[in-house]
């Protein structure tokens, strides 16, 4: 299988975890000639099966499943207690007397990986770390096209070495979590338009461009820089079918002068979102907070409580640096608009 067989138009909807990528959104993108993406990093194997089945009810076109490559952590009680203390001003503002400790820190990656192979989507992408050559071979044996997320040339070469079919080169402008897995996350600072051609020159496999892509003109720029396709997250986050809360969507649509920036306060891994009170309050201590997925699990009840109240200042408002250019419309219409812009430039 090659990359071009996955779509009619070289547009991949970014896999954004946390409920934003509904089966309706994923299917709408695939039905319109792009490649829809099911983010499964936070899903149990049964939930993965259920979501994939819903997507398949809505489209017979290819779609991909994304996973975070993770080892299940075992933080000490002291580490958890210290993190809770650092976040005390946040959870006390919700009227809580303590921060609830989750029953699990993350899903079991091995179980998710086995379920992914069982589900046999047309493609799969991976973020946060790299697979082994043996794992890539297992995916290939199941007929799955393999894509690795990278933020540096070194990471792209590593994915090519283990047998990936393509790499997703994600510039620092991209919304949500950074996929850095070699070296310090703080050092992976290449902007999208610098990263794309560097990666395209370094590897033989196809490059998928990500970061700051909002229009058909942006897509043409990425293709001219050596990419074979693009992955767009924030652009689809404001679509009608997106599963984010109405309050979150309004913040994105009306982003105005609100800056986006990278923070590790929410999850313990650097991620880009609209700046809000949560980010500002924890800015001085964010480097002391535990790494993903421990911090992510600890802040989940805070973010859920905030979402239930429509309190966006305590929610993770993931968004790319170009959020101001996002256009709210049905996903099929956005796909048509992007294709028309690519053709008329």
């Amino acid at each position: 299988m090659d990359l071009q067989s996955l779509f009619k138009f070289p547009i991949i909807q970014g896999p954004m975890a946390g409920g934003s990528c509904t089966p309706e959104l994923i299917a709408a993108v695939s039905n319109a000639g792009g490649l829809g993406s099911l983010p499964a990093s936070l899903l149990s194997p049964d939930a993965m099966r259920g979501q994939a089945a819903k997507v398949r009810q809505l489209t017979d076109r290819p779609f991909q499943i994304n996973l975070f490559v993770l080892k299940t952590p075992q933080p000490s009680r002291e580490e958890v207690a210290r993190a809770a203390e650092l976040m005390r001003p946040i959870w006390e503002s919700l009227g809580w007397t303590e921060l609830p400790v989750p029953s699990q820190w993350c899903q079991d990656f091995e179980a998710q990986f086995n379920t992914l192979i069982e589900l046999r989507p047309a493609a799969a992408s991976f973020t946060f770390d790299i697979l082994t050559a043996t794992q890539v071979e297992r995916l290939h044996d199941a007929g799955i096209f393999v894509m690795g997320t990278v933020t540096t040339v070194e990471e792209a070469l590593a994915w090519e070495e283990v047998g990936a079919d393509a790499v997703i080169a994600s510039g620092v402008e991209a919304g949500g979590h950074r996929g850095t897995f070699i070296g310090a996350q703080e050092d992976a600072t290449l902007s999208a338009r610098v990263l794309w051609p560097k990666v395209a020159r370094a590897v033989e496999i196809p490059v998928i461009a990500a970061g700051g892509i909002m229009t058909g003109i942006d897509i043409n720029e990425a293709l001219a820089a050596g990419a074979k396709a693009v992955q767009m997250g924030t652009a689809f986050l404001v679509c009608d079918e997106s599963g984010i809360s109405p309050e979150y969507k309004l913040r994105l649509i009306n982003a105005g002068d609100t800056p986006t920036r990278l923070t590790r306060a929410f999850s313990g891994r650097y991620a880009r979102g609209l700046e809000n009170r949560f980010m500002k309050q924890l800015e001085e201590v964010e480097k002391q907070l535990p790494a993903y997925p421990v911090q992510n699990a600890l802040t989940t009840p805070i973010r859920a409580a905030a979402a239930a109240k429509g309190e966006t200042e305590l929610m993770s408002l993931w968004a790319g640096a170009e959020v101001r250019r996002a256009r709210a419309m049905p996903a099929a219409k956005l796909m048509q608009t992007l294709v028309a812009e690519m053709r008329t430039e």
Side-chain angles (χ1 to χ4, degrees):
M1 182 187 292
D2 65 357
L3 182 65
Q4 269 65 36
S5 68
L6 296 175
F7 44 66
K8 182 178 178 183
F9 306 113
I11 300 168
I12 300 171
Q13 162 248 315
M16 300 165 286
S20 56
C21 297
T22 62
E24 290 76 14
L25 175 63
I26 298 161
V29 173
S30 289
N31 285 334
L35 182 69
S37 302
L38 170 58
S41 54
L42 305 178
L43 302 181
S44 68
D46 279 348
M48 287 174 66
R49 293 183 188 101
Q51 290 281 298
K54 286 179 183 174
V55 174
R56 285 179 163 138
Q57 285 170 3
L58 298 169
T59 185
D60 58 3
R61 300 284 304 146
F63 67 96
Q64 69 138 329
I65 293 177
N66 172 267
L67 288 176
F68 294 164
V69 183
L70 285 176
K71 294 180 178 69
T72 302
Q74 292 181 304
S76 66
R77 279 187 188 176
E78 291 76 18
E79 184 181 4
V80 172
R82 185 161 176 268
E85 189 58 34
L86 289 170
M87 290 189 286
R88 178 179 287 274
I90 300 286
W91 51 261
E92 279 191 341
S93 75
L94 290 167
W96 297 357
T97 55
E98 62 180 0
L99 180 67
V101 176
S103 58
Q104 65 177 120
W105 299 112
C106 61
Q107 295 293 329
D108 179 70
F109 176 72
E110 197 62 37
Q112 289 180 317
F113 187 79
N114 290 334
T115 306
L116 170 65
I117 289 174
E118 169 199 320
L119 292 171
R120 294 182 180 242
S125 67
F126 298 88
T127 316
F128 288 13
D129 209 343
I130 191 167
L131 298 179
T132 64
T134 302
Q135 287 172 318
V136 173
E137 192 174 340
R138 285 184 64 197
L139 292 162
H140 284 159
D141 288 345
I144 300 170
F145 187 91
V146 179
M147 301 179 281
T149 307
V150 306
T151 59
T152 64
V153 169
E154 187 181 4
E155 291 171 348
L157 291 167
W159 268 108
E160 186 174 50
E161 178 71 21
V162 297
D165 300 299
V167 288
I168 301 156
S170 181
V172 75
E173 302 92 331
H177 285 98
R178 301 287 285 143
T180 306
F181 62 90
I182 296 176
Q185 292 170 43
E186 298 95 318
D187 295 340
T189 57
L190 287 182
S191 69
R193 283 162 175 76
V194 173
L195 178 67
W196 302 336
K198 280 181 179 288
V199 172
R201 286 193 297 268
V203 297
E204 300 292 326
I205 56 177
V207 175
I208 297 155
I213 301 168
M214 288 291 173
T215 67
I217 294 167
D218 296 341
I219 295 171
N220 286 345
E221 285 180 11
L223 299 179
K228 300 298 182 190
V230 301
Q231 180 169 284
M232 303 170 65
T234 308
F236 287 104
L237 205 51
V238 298
C239 282
D240 295 5
E241 298 89 346
S242 163
I244 64 175
S245 71
E247 294 85 3
Y248 179 2
K249 196 174 287 188
L250 273 176
R251 286 293 303 267
L252 298 184
I253 293 167
N254 301 313
D257 295 330
T258 306
T260 69
R261 67 174 173 86
L262 294 169
T263 180
R264 71 187 299 280
F266 285 107
S267 72
R269 173 178 271 270
Y270 282 100
R272 181 176 295 280
L274 284 180
E275 189 173 63
N276 62 3
R277 178 161 66 88
F278 190 105
M279 280 193 203
K280 291 174 185 172
Q281 273 193 269
L282 294 181
E283 187 171 10
E284 288 187 10
V285 299
E286 67 175 319
K287 289 190 177 179
Q288 300 171 49
L289 295 166
Y292 193 101
V294 174
Q295 178 66 7
N296 191 65
L298 287 173
T299 64
T300 295
I302 295 172
R303 289 177 285 151
K309 295 178 178 180
E311 174 50 273
T312 57
E313 288 301 312
L314 297 182
M315 293 162 59
S316 46
L317 304 173
W318 302 139
E322 295 296 316
V323 62
R324 285 153 213 79
R325 297 197 291 134
R327 300 170 288 192
M329 61 180 77
K333 186 178 178 187
L334 178 58
M335 285 291 298
Q336 291 163 3
T337 303
L338 294 169
V339 172
E341 289 169 344
M342 288 171 68
R343 288 173 172 165
T344 56
E345 190 195 356

